Amino acid sequence: MKNFVQNKYLFAGLTLVVGISIGWLLQPAQTETKSSPETHEHATNDQGQWTCSMHPQIRQNEPGSCPICGMELIPVKSDINTSDLTIKMSPTAMKLANIETSIVGSGNAKKTIMLNGKVQINETLISKISAHFHGRIEKLHVNFTGEQIRKGQLLAEVYSPELVNAQKELQMTYKDRATNPVLYQSARKKLKNWKIGESEIDRIEKNDGEILNVKIHAHHGGIVLKRNVAQGDHVQMGDILFELANLSNVWLMLDVYESDIQWVNPGDQIQFTVASFPGKSFEGKISYLDPFIDPKSRVAKARVNVDNREGMLKPEMFASAILKSNISSEKEDIIIPKTAVMWTGKKSVVYIKTTNNESIHFQMRQVTLGPNLGESYIINEGLDEGEEIVINGTFSVDAAAQLAGKPSMMNPEGEATTKGHKHN
């Protein structure tokens, strides 16, 4: 009985020692777990910044509310590189913003110039009919301006006392032509100078009759521009009786502004239209460029010879012309649409499209513009052939870059347009 009690106390003592030992071994692990400060801290992102899902330009160093819309801020994703100068955009966002891109190409540059002008009379086809002697208009066969005249048509009949005397002189010298041929030839020449035909002179010298009135015929066909005499008027030698214009060929006089003169050269082909014939296009070549600029209008005149045998073009018609000028260059030029360029007067920028890990990025790039080609620009510096640029929706991309705090046309340094407030 005594041995049983002793064994019982011995077993209880061993159990107590083992329990204390196990407790001592486990205590450091439990203490370390309770005192670990990491279990009570807020989880933060790698950058330690917070932003608004609706206004990504907001950046704060601690959570809170958006100062613009009041929404709760969210952590900036760790996979975003804040030093990246590009802006990421999904295909859906590109479609909603109507953003289009194109591959940069090169080619022979042609500048399109719009010119305005008027149809004018071809001055080289104007003819004047004058009196070669003194006389009186007995009959006038042209009575109004604008009348169409054929070549050889009778215009007027003039009575002249000088003609009567010249005919008598011819008849007298004709009889003595063998002994005095010089005087005879002089008498014939006088009548020829008055535009009297050879057959008429032959009839006069044989005394088969006399000509009382000199008939004046049109040397060229055309439209009567001026009629300076009326029936019964007396005229003197050298007086202009009629002025005719042949409209089978006309001039188109175009206004070339000072800034466009360098692109206009004689020989350039143009196409033009007039309001009287919608849909009808006329063609011609520049034959002359005025060497002087009008000091008031600041334009020079370019002259185009136009075939008008159909008579469709009338003097003083207004015309709108298009000229495509080849810009000579030793190499092909980089040409992009005007819609791809954003410019402030001092600098011009485009947006380059790149793809990375199946994502689309855009980055602003400054370029140096060359000549303006009308709907496009030549790029002197800043782009290479084969690069992809935004050609439609450029302002949408630039606005997104501004909101994201990335470099843009208005903020080339990439500063955010609106900064978040810090909480105290």
Side-chain angles (χ1 to χ4, degrees):
M1 184 70 181
K2 183 177 181 181
N3 292 334
F4 175 75
V5 174
Q6 290 177 347
N7 291 335
K8 181 180 179 180
Y9 283 109
L10 178 62
F11 177 76
L14 291 174
T15 302
L16 179 61
V17 172
V18 172
I20 293 173
S21 300
I22 294 174
W24 181 83
L25 291 173
L26 294 178
Q27 183 177 1
Q30 293 175 353
T31 305
E32 182 178 354
T33 302
K34 293 180 180 180
S35 61
S36 177
E38 294 179 3
T39 59
H40 298 282
E41 291 184 2
H42 295 284
T44 59
N45 53 80
D46 293 342
Q47 288 79 19
Q49 287 192 335
W50 300 76
T51 186
C52 175
S53 58
M54 295 297 295
H55 301 92
Q57 73 270 24
I58 300 300
R59 292 290 189 272
Q60 293 186 175
N61 296 326
E62 54 186 335
S65 299
C66 175
I68 298 178
C69 63
M71 292 182 62
E72 184 178 357
L73 299 182
I74 61 175
V76 176
K77 293 182 179 180
S78 59
D79 60 343
I80 296 179
N81 183 5
T82 56
S83 63
D84 189 5
L85 300 180
T86 64
I87 177 173
K88 184 178 178 181
M89 190 172 292
S90 66
T92 303
M94 289 181 58
K95 187 175 181 180
L96 292 174
N98 196 24
I99 296 172
E100 298 179 9
T101 62
S102 177
I103 303 297
V104 175
S106 62
N108 295 322
K110 287 187 177 182
K111 181 175 177 63
T112 301
I113 303 174
M114 307 298 295
L115 302 171
N116 296 311
K118 289 196 302 183
V119 177
Q120 300 288 347
I121 296 172
N122 187 335
E123 295 178 3
T124 63
L125 299 180
I126 293 177
S127 59
K128 296 180 179 181
I129 299 175
S130 60
H132 300 285
F133 44 80
H134 306 300
R136 182 180 67 250
I137 304 293
E138 290 294 315
K139 291 183 179 181
L140 193 64
H141 298 276
V142 177
N143 297 308
F144 59 91
T145 59
E147 185 175 349
Q148 178 70 51
I149 301 298
R150 303 181 310 275
K151 183 179 180 180
Q153 181 177 329
L154 180 61
L155 302 178
E157 298 180 34
V158 181
Y159 170 77
S160 174
E162 292 184 4
L163 176 60
V164 175
N165 294 333
Q167 292 179 88
K168 292 180 179 179
E169 182 181 343
L170 177 60
Q171 291 170 355
M172 292 176 59
T173 57
Y174 177 74
K175 297 177 182 179
D176 299 332
R177 65 184 181 280
T179 58
N180 198 348
V182 177
L183 190 60
Y184 166 69
Q185 292 296 331
S186 177
R188 284 184 65 92
K189 186 176 181 180
K190 181 184 291 186
L191 293 175
K192 287 182 181 179
N193 291 338
W194 289 348
K195 306 302 179 182
I196 298 176
E198 290 282 349
S199 60
E200 292 286 335
I201 295 175
D202 291 341
R203 188 170 62 86
I204 291 171
E205 66 184 16
K206 294 177 182 179
N207 201 17
D208 290 338
E210 62 178 4
I211 301 175
L212 298 178
N213 297 330
V214 179
K215 296 179 179 180
I216 300 176
H217 297 82
H219 311 312
H220 303 281
I223 303 295
V224 177
L225 293 180
K226 293 181 180 180
R227 181 180 64 86
N228 298 323
V229 292
Q231 189 165 311
D233 286 351
H234 288 263
V235 295
Q236 301 294 323
M237 182 183 296
D239 286 352
I240 303 298
L241 306 180
F242 305 98
E243 190 171 320
L244 307 179
N246 187 344
L247 299 181
S248 62
N249 186 280
V250 294
W251 285 349
L252 176 62
M253 303 300 294
L254 298 171
D255 294 332
V256 182
Y257 287 96
E258 189 174 358
S259 58
D260 293 330
I261 286 181
Q262 59 178 321
W263 313 116
V264 180
N265 298 288
D268 288 345
Q269 188 80 21
I270 70 153
Q271 291 183 335
F272 69 95
T273 59
V274 294
S276 303
F277 303 100
K280 173 68 175 177
S281 180
F282 301 87
E283 295 182 350
K285 289 184 177 181
I286 294 178
S287 59
Y288 174 80
L289 181 62
D290 198 333
F292 300 101
I293 295 177
D294 187 282
K296 294 182 179 179
S297 62
R298 308 306 302 171
V299 300
K301 295 291 184 179
R303 186 172 69 208
V304 181
N305 285 74
V306 184
D307 187 353
N308 191 40
R309 282 175 288 185
E310 296 181 1
M312 300 178 68
L313 299 175
K314 313 295 183 184
E316 300 302 321
M317 277 184 171
F318 286 103
S320 299
I322 298 176
L323 183 149
K324 294 184 178 180
S325 177
N326 290 323
I327 300 177
S328 59
S329 176
E330 297 180 357
K331 61 181 182 65
E332 292 186 333
D333 298 295
I334 299 293
I335 303 172
I336 65 172
K338 272 188 174 180
T339 55
V341 181
M342 302 180 67
W343 58 280
T344 61
K346 293 183 179 180
K347 66 176 182 178
S348 304
V349 299
V350 298
Y351 274 92
I352 309 295
K353 176 186 174 183
T354 57
T355 56
N356 183 16
N357 295 329
E358 299 182 356
S359 61
I360 301 173
H361 298 264
F362 297 97
Q363 183 175 357
M364 183 189 73
R365 184 184 297 176
Q366 188 168 343
V367 295
T368 303
L369 298 181
N372 180 354
L373 303 181
E375 297 298 325
S376 56
Y377 285 115
I378 290 179
I379 300 298
N380 290 338
E381 294 180 358
L383 281 178
D384 293 321
E385 186 176 0
E387 293 187 292
E388 190 170 0
I389 61 172
V390 178
I391 61 171
N392 188 57
T394 315
F395 281 96
S396 299
V397 177
D398 189 75
Q402 292 185 48
L403 291 176
K406 303 298 176 67
S408 62
M409 183 183 69
M410 300 305 295
N411 295 288
E413 301 299 328
E415 297 178 355
T417 55
T418 305
K419 297 182 180 179
H421 297 283
K422 294 183 178 180
H423 293 279
N424 294 327

